[in-house]
Amino acid sequence: MASSSTNTYNSPCAACKFLRRKCMPGCIFAPYFPPEEPHKFANVHKIFGASNVTKLLNELLPHQREDAVNSLAYEAEARVRDPVYGCVGAISYLQRQVHKLQKELDAANADLVHYGLSTSAPGNLVDLVCQPQPLQLQQLNPVYRLSGASPVMTQQPRGTGGSYGTFLPWNIGHDQQGGNM
């Protein structure tokens, strides 16, 4: 948001005030360093220097200058707070937090899967509905039926006798006989 080079009281921009010079109508700093934010220019000047900022702003197109000044002000404030790492320190801290939280999430998901497998209940309802569960050999019970003169053994999933067993969303919280757990 660019403002005029001077406000209604004709006070100089924060840059000209800091540099103790007269703020001219075409001042390159005035639209980006209003007099109400003197600390913004003070930090930028301390880290980058006024002449470097002037050169940078003159090389940029007018529509790019506001973003550049905001970036410079952000980096300058970060450098004032943390002179060694600046905003990279904040980024590294946040990346470590994300990594730590990802590990916690993975551990929680592993616990859910373990709990789901140990209690024959699904660990995640979305996985249950969206992805069919593969049958494990230990889940199959031999069922004998007579076919002609000799018995024939077939495999059928444990549970209620159907091909879905107890892994239906409406069966969650019920044991294999259909009662409440």
Side-chain angles (χ1 to χ4, degrees):
M1 173 169 91
S3 63
S4 67
S5 64
T6 58
N7 64 15
T8 57
Y9 300 108
N10 264 348
S11 64
C13 70
C16 291
K17 193 174 200 177
F18 184 87
L19 298 172
R20 295 182 180 167
R21 66 182 190 189
K22 184 174 180 175
C23 191
M24 304 303 284
C27 176
I28 189 95
F29 295 122
Y32 314 106
F33 297 103
E36 302 85 33
E37 299 178 23
H39 63 282
K40 183 177 177 181
F41 182 78
N43 288 341
V44 169
H45 174 66
K46 182 178 181 179
I47 303 301
F48 299 105
S51 64
N52 289 331
V53 175
T54 302
K55 289 178 199 172
L56 177 75
L57 292 177
N58 283 326
E59 289 176 4
L60 293 174
L61 297 174
H63 71 276
Q64 297 172 323
R65 292 177 182 166
E66 185 175 2
D67 289 336
V69 168
N70 289 336
S71 295
L72 290 172
Y74 182 81
E75 175 64 28
E77 186 175 336
R79 284 280 170 190
V80 167
R81 290 181 184 202
D82 184 356
V84 175
Y85 295 108
C87 65
V88 173
I91 292 168
S92 296
Y93 171 77
L94 292 173
Q95 285 176 335
R96 285 191 304 272
Q97 287 293 104
V98 167
H99 185 70
K100 177 186 166 204
L101 292 171
Q102 185 64 50
K103 282 184 173 182
E104 288 179 20
L105 180 61
D106 292 343
N109 282 335
D111 288 345
L112 285 173
V113 167
H114 176 72
Y115 175 74
L117 292 177
S118 66
T119 61
S120 297
N124 186 340
L125 188 58
V126 173
D127 289 342
L128 167 74
V129 174
C130 297
Q131 300 173 356
Q133 299 292 325
L135 294 176
Q136 302 295 325
L137 289 178
Q138 62 268 25
Q139 290 179 309
L140 299 175
N141 284 336
V143 176
Y144 295 96
R145 60 184 166 86
L146 293 175
S147 173
S150 61
V152 175
M153 186 177 88
T154 60
Q155 297 290 328
Q156 197 172 32
R158 286 186 186 167
T160 58
S163 60
Y164 296 104
T166 58
F167 289 105
L168 291 174
W170 48 86
N171 288 339
I172 296 174
H174 292 46
D175 64 8
Q176 290 185 351
Q177 283 74 34
N180 287 333
M181 292 179 88

